[in-house]
Amino acid sequence: MKEAEIRQLLAANLLSAFSVVLSAVVPAFFWDGFTVLGTHLAWLCSCCVCVSTLSIILHLVLKPNLSPKRSSFAHKISRFLKCCIYFFMSCILFHTIIVLYGAPLIESVTETFLFAVLLSTFTTLQCLCMLGPNIQAWIRVFSKNGAMSIWESSLQITTMCSILGAWFGAFPIPLDWDRPWQVWPISCSLGATFGYMAGLIIAPLWIHWNRKQLTYKSR
């Protein structure tokens, strides 16, 4: 395993983490009163846009899982449309799961859906950028010893950290502390965001420390 590839992964992940920071800082220059807590829905949109844009740019520049086969323009359009459909389906699926876990069904629909979009951005969009609309590849990557590159190992870690962060973020909501950040879905979205950023930092470090034990085999 090349150290240069690990450094490239670390740099890409740090840029992704920096995009989250920018989503909270840049809008404040153009929107008076913009804060992560006070205008949380606006921040959710800003974060999704920043992370999505940088993820797509990094994929186009680094091309970690570039297929050796050349594809036609029609195939690229079809692939893009499938990715859009998969992302939208992911938002609906996350929204449904969140409601089943106790989120309001009718009230706060916008908040719940934007939280679902945020989770899809941290998880599904990353899979689409790296693996494309290939469900079999997704199943392979998230199965035991299924990763075939350090990029796929990083994808595993960041995805799991994002979901776990959202889950842990739900714990303070029922408590009677009456804190502003306990309003739905602030603690969950912040938990998912911190989990995502933690995964971005943990992934290259974990891969570096375990590089001698990691053997990626083509399947």
Side-chain angles (χ1 to χ4, degrees):
M1 186 181 301
K2 297 181 180 179
E3 288 291 334
E5 192 175 11
I6 298 178
R7 288 195 295 269
Q8 189 180 52
L9 173 66
L10 176 61
N13 285 7
L14 289 177
L15 283 174
S16 297
F18 185 63
S19 69
V20 177
V21 177
L22 286 180
S23 70
V25 175
V26 173
F29 290 100
F30 308 97
W31 184 344
D32 292 336
F34 177 90
T35 61
V36 172
L37 298 183
T39 54
H40 190 67
L41 296 187
W43 174 77
L44 285 177
C45 296
S46 173
C47 186
C48 291
V49 170
C50 289
V51 173
S52 300
T53 302
L54 186 65
S55 296
I56 294 172
I57 292 174
L58 287 175
H59 171 70
L60 294 175
V61 173
L62 299 177
K63 301 178 181 179
N65 277 17
L66 182 64
S67 173
K69 298 180 180 179
R70 290 187 177 182
S71 55
S72 63
F73 180 74
H75 176 75
K76 292 179 180 178
I77 294 296
S78 175
R79 180 185 174 93
F80 173 76
L81 293 176
K82 284 183 180 180
C83 288
C84 293
I85 293 173
Y86 278 33
F87 183 79
F88 179 73
M89 291 173 59
S90 171
C91 295
I92 298 299
L93 179 61
F94 271 122
H95 185 99
T96 303
I97 293 174
I98 293 168
V99 170
L100 292 176
Y101 267 89
L105 177 61
I106 299 176
E107 298 179 357
S108 305
V109 174
T110 303
E111 289 84 349
T112 303
F113 185 74
L114 286 178
F115 175 47
V117 173
L118 182 75
L119 279 178
S120 296
T121 302
F122 290 156
T123 58
T124 306
L125 180 67
Q126 311 304 319
C127 293
L128 289 171
C129 287
M130 189 168 298
L131 306 173
N134 186 345
I135 299 299
Q136 292 181 346
W138 295 20
I139 295 173
R140 171 186 59 76
V141 168
F142 291 100
S143 62
K144 185 178 180 180
N145 300 322
M148 294 169 52
S149 67
I150 65 172
W151 300 95
E152 292 182 355
S153 292
S154 177
L155 180 64
Q156 289 177 337
I157 295 172
T158 53
T159 298
M160 295 306 299
C161 286
S162 300
I163 295 175
L164 287 175
W167 185 63
F168 281 115
F171 287 177
I173 293 180
L175 303 178
D176 56 350
W177 295 344
D178 294 328
R179 294 290 188 266
W181 50 266
Q182 286 180 278
V183 177
W184 173 255
I186 294 178
S187 61
C188 288
S189 57
L190 290 180
T193 304
F194 287 130
Y196 173 69
M197 295 179 70
L200 290 172
I201 297 172
I202 292 171
L205 297 178
W206 183 87
I207 292 171
H208 176 74
W209 288 331
N210 296 274
R211 62 189 183 281
K212 294 181 179 180
Q213 289 77 29
L214 293 174
T215 56
Y216 297 115
K217 299 179 179 179
S218 301
R219 289 171 173 80

